[in-house]
Amino acid sequence: MTGPRQPGEAGRAVTVVEPTEVTAASGPATAGQVIEAAVPAEAAGATATLRVFRGEAGQDTRFEDFAVPVQEGMVVLDALHWIQGNAAPDLAVRWNCKAAKCGSCSAEVNGHPRLTCKTRLSDLDLAEPITVEPMRSFPHIRDLVTDVSWNYAVNRTIQPFTPPADLPQSEWRWQQADIDRLQEFRKCIECFLCQDVCHVLRSHETERPFMGPRYLVRTAGLEMHPIDQADRRPYLKELGNIGYCNITKCCTEVCPEHIAITDNAIIPLKERVADRYYDPLRWAWRVLRGRLPELPVGRELPVFPGGQPPAASADPQADGSEAAGTSPPERRDEPS
Amino acid sequence: MTGQATSLRGILKPRGTAPTGAGATSRRDDWLAAPLNVGFWLAVLVLYATFSALVWEPVFGVAHEADGYLSPFYAPFVSGEGFPAWLSPALVTLWIPIGFRVTCYYFRRAYYRAYLADPPACAVGEPRIHGRYRMENALPFILQNLHRLFLYLAVVLLAIHWIEVVTSFFPASGARIGLGSVLLLADITLLTGYVSSCHSLRHIVGGRLDCFSCSTINRTRHGAWKILSGLNANHMVWAWASLFSIVLVDIYIHLLALGVLVDPAIRL
Ligand code: SF4
Ligand code: SF4
Ligand code: FES
Ligand code: FES
């Protein structure tokens, strides 16, 4: 491996290094091979060594080292673009806005799930190579690109916003105080870093699916909405398997939008599920008031009759006004 | 996003390429420090609490009360009379704070990480023993959902402790401001902060409402929820501070009982 480089050395050689134990499952690399890249040396200045995960899914994957000239304010994505432009034009990187808003450029930098466009080189130790890997929790496609489509499949299982069926949109009213806490959840840029770092999705093969923190955030935003009528607690318990989350907070630690995922979304949802399923006092209270049964335990959401999608007339709409097109279930106001 | 929901049944996440096995990671910061630190201090405090509740008095005969100060591990209404000598009266109520802390969302996180390595740290591989992961979906951890029951009991206990602290300023010998009372006051303040910042309390007080503005009572609850949310943001700090303080106050009272220290006091 190359050590810290001297000024003027930038991009002169690209070294294919031995795969570390991290890539042990990924197959052998062409260890030790040195590729001379016809790249110009930049003006004298500091260089950083980027150790980038390369390869196609299911084939040899390896780490390759690139010496990149460092400029002030440079982020890891800039360095990857420099590599694309000067040393490895075929490097696959997903990105879009370069402003930490599209959520495309997620990767693992030195083992930490990060947005590469928001990770400054000046915050990293340039004396060591900077490892850049794809999000490891998702199937690999090529280089730094992974297949995150499973997340979209999970998203489609959540009962959309369900306003009262008999209330026209022009009559919807709420106060700012009612939606303050929801606005935090709407900051989500779907970068999936929280899904990537969540140990349930990353390290465990569970018997049943776990929806993951991103979709607990979305569900919290719907459940706490002042005019939403659906009850997603059976879904959270039985299908989203919120019980798999052990509130260890890694999702909160990596969220680039600083959403307090665990404290403000997951724990409040766990408490709502406990209201419904695990509170003997509330159960006794409901029995006394003759308000049982509520929903049958384990009833699957969405609440489309017979599990069928809504009639053709129901227009899928954008999130935020995504009426389900079916009569919503009756909302049971919580006794205080 | 979505207009129609489909079923999640069977949508298991396809396998990724994360390194597996205990400690497998590309992180090169000192990720082991936090779980070791938390694990160590938690163990020290739990061991001391066990010692104090089960050993000080039954084994060494050191009283849990001195100078009108009662160890915070003991509830005031348990006199100890009628208890066999080998059994500590602390056990009558100690299960409540123990249950409360064991099921506390913060301490769950702490010991899941430090003792179960589940996960040991973020983006770090886990021991293979976690093969069949069900966590809070199945016994025993599904019982964590009973945290609110311990909360109800803890609130009662807290009220009793407040009475006990206030009366410690007025022992039979006359009013005084002793170091012990001040320590007990600091301890009960931290305990109150800990209980007030509880996630379950925050939920019960206002979090479970969907519409904060819909009625006067809801607006009042919203105001209280906002205050509790402010405290809740530092729940971890309250949790540790109140755990340390209870142990320190207990040590102080036992040192008084042993005659090692004399309580400095201003008598009124
Ligand atoms: S807090 Fe829960 S959802 Fe978030 S990373 Fe930990 S286990 Fe996953
Ligand atoms: S909650 Fe945060 S980390 Fe998760 S997808 Fe949204 S922005 Fe990314
Ligand atoms: S490129 Fe859009 S978030 Fe990084
Ligand atoms: S969550 Fe920690 S005491 Fe309730």
Side-chain angles (χ1 to χ4, degrees):
Chain A
M1 176 38 240
T2 51
R5 288 172 190 254
Q6 300 306 311
E9 256 191 293
R12 288 231 179 266
V14 177
T15 312
V16 180
V17 298
E18 294 272 10
T20 64
E21 66 280 3
V22 168
T23 52
S26 318
T30 335
Q33 181 189 352
V34 177
I35 306 163
E36 286 297 328
V39 290
E42 298 290 317
T47 59
T49 302
L50 263 77
R51 180 169 284 178
V52 183
F53 191 85
R54 304 280 329 256
E56 303 265 348
Q59 299 178 15
D60 290 353
T61 50
R62 63 203 177 274
F63 283 98
E64 290 182 4
D65 281 6
F66 298 93
V68 177
V70 178
Q71 288 170 359
E72 198 180 342
M74 202 171 190
V75 293
V76 171
L77 184 60
D78 290 325
L80 295 171
H81 283 162
W82 189 93
I83 294 168
Q84 274 186 328
N86 296 282
D90 60 340
L91 175 68
V93 182
R94 193 181 270 141
W95 70 284
N96 199 319
C97 68
K98 233 187 121 210
K101 282 296 161 215
C102 73
S104 307
C105 65
S106 306
E108 297 184 12
V109 180
N110 286 347
H112 292 276
R114 309 286 302 257
L115 293 180
T116 55
C117 75
K118 208 183 169 185
T119 306
R120 283 178 179 260
L121 292 187
S122 56
D123 292 337
L124 303 172
D125 177 9
L126 299 187
E128 299 266 328
I130 299 163
T131 57
V132 187
E133 299 166 73
M135 286 194 285
R136 295 296 213 149
S137 291
F138 303 114
H140 186 222
I141 296 178
R142 188 178 154 199
D143 298 342
L144 299 177
V145 176
T146 49
D147 177 4
V148 294
S149 56
W150 172 81
N151 293 289
Y152 303 117
V154 175
N155 195 28
R156 285 190 290 272
T157 68
I158 299 169
Q159 168 79 9
F161 179 59
T162 310
D166 53 355
L167 193 67
Q169 190 164 350
S170 57
E171 296 302 313
W172 295 356
R173 297 282 184 277
W174 53 75
Q175 303 289 317
Q176 182 61 37
D178 297 323
I179 54 162
D180 272 341
R181 62 181 165 169
L182 311 188
Q183 286 176 330
E184 178 184 16
F185 307 142
R186 302 299 296 224
K187 289 193 302 182
C188 174
I189 57 172
E190 292 219 310
C191 63
F192 301 133
L193 289 173
C194 56
Q195 304 283 87
D196 179 45
V197 80
C198 175
H199 76 118
V200 182
L201 298 172
R202 189 181 180 93
S203 304
H204 296 289
E205 287 184 31
T206 49
E207 284 169 356
R208 296 192 276 157
F210 174 54
M211 62 199 296
R214 188 295 169 250
Y215 294 109
L216 288 162
V217 165
R218 178 167 181 241
T219 308
L222 293 164
E223 273 299 281
M224 296 176 192
H225 196 285
I227 69 165
D228 180 83
Q229 302 293 297
D231 181 355
R232 296 170 185 79
R233 292 176 299 179
Y235 166 84
L236 286 167
K237 176 176 177 286
E238 301 291 335
L239 294 157
N241 286 298
I242 191 171
Y244 281 146
C245 165
N246 65 349
I247 38 120
T248 35
K249 274 199 169 175
C250 291
C251 48
T252 305
E253 286 180 24
V254 301
C255 178
E257 285 294 318
H258 305 293
I259 301 171
I261 302 175
T262 322
D263 287 354
N264 290 347
I266 299 178
I267 293 175
L269 287 180
K270 277 186 174 258
E271 286 294 313
R272 286 176 181 234
V273 170
D275 278 348
R276 171 67 183 85
Y277 295 99
Y278 304 113
D279 189 335
L281 294 188
R282 288 172 67 79
W283 179 82
W285 175 248
R286 285 195 295 260
V287 169
L288 282 176
R289 298 181 57 184
R291 292 178 69 167
L292 280 183
E294 298 188 6
L295 285 177
V297 176
R299 174 167 172 183
E300 182 168 347
L301 278 181
V303 287
F304 302 133
Q308 295 304 309
S313 61
D315 235 358
Q317 294 173 30
D319 187 41
S321 60
E322 42 190 5
T326 52
S327 315
E330 199 185 319
R331 175 106 207 162
R332 299 166 325 287
D333 266 332
E334 299 295 344
S336 46
Chain B
M1 255 189 234
T2 64
Q4 310 175 5
T6 53
S7 173
L8 185 56
R9 223 179 272 287
I11 306 186
L12 286 165
K13 186 186 75 63
R15 193 194 283 256
T17 56
T20 54
T25 184
S26 300
R27 282 178 64 168
R28 50 172 103 101
D29 56 331
D30 195 5
W31 58 264
L32 204 50
L36 286 181
N37 216 355
V38 167
F40 172 77
W41 283 110
L42 213 50
V44 166
L45 297 175
V46 166
L47 285 177
Y48 176 78
T50 313
F51 176 82
S52 175
L54 300 180
V55 182
W56 264 135
E57 192 158 13
V59 178
F60 293 107
V62 182
H64 62 268
E65 192 172 4
D67 266 352
Y69 302 128
L70 185 67
S71 154
F73 286 124
Y74 289 75
F77 49 79
V78 181
S79 67
E81 281 168 28
F83 266 73
W86 51 269
L87 187 63
S88 167
L91 293 178
V92 175
T93 50
L94 205 53
W95 60 275
I96 296 172
I98 289 175
F100 186 53
R101 289 202 187 245
V102 165
T103 58
C104 161
Y105 284 98
Y106 169 69
F107 283 112
R108 273 145 78 177
R109 171 189 172 212
Y111 62 77
Y112 286 150
R113 280 198 189 198
Y115 298 141
L116 303 189
D118 205 351
C122 304
V124 174
E126 299 182 14
R128 295 192 198 283
I129 195 169
H130 296 159
R132 189 153 176 265
Y133 179 93
R134 293 192 295 168
M135 201 32 89
E136 298 184 358
N137 247 5
L139 282 171
F141 296 113
I142 199 169
L143 296 175
Q144 309 278 28
N145 286 297
L146 297 180
H147 180 57
R148 57 185 59 192
L149 293 187
F150 288 107
L151 170 69
Y152 305 147
L153 297 169
V155 168
V156 174
L157 220 54
L158 190 69
I160 296 171
H161 272 313
W162 265 109
I163 296 169
E164 171 202 319
V165 172
V166 171
T167 52
S168 80
F169 284 90
F170 306 100
S173 53
R176 57 115 190 252
I177 300 174
L179 180 59
S181 326
V182 174
L183 290 177
L184 276 170
L185 189 63
D187 175 51
I188 194 80
T189 307
L190 292 173
L191 269 178
T192 306
Y194 174 54
V195 174
S196 309
S197 60
C198 167
H199 287 276
S200 291
L201 185 68
R202 179 189 183 215
H203 169 77
I204 291 163
V205 165
R208 67 160 62 115
L209 297 174
D210 286 342
C211 180
F212 286 138
S213 65
C214 289
S215 66
T216 312
I217 179 84
N218 283 15
R219 283 192 288 277
T220 311
R221 289 176 67 180
H222 179 226
W225 174 82
K226 280 203 289 191
I227 294 169
L228 295 188
S229 296
L231 292 170
N232 177 263
N234 294 310
H235 189 55
M236 178 183 79
V237 178
W238 291 112
W240 279 110
S242 59
L243 198 54
F244 273 106
S245 75
I246 202 168
V247 165
L248 290 178
V249 171
D250 185 80
I251 290 175
Y252 180 77
I253 292 171
H254 277 99
L255 291 180
L256 289 183
L258 279 168
V260 176
L261 291 180
V262 178
D263 184 49
I266 303 169
R267 312 239 164 232
L268 304 173

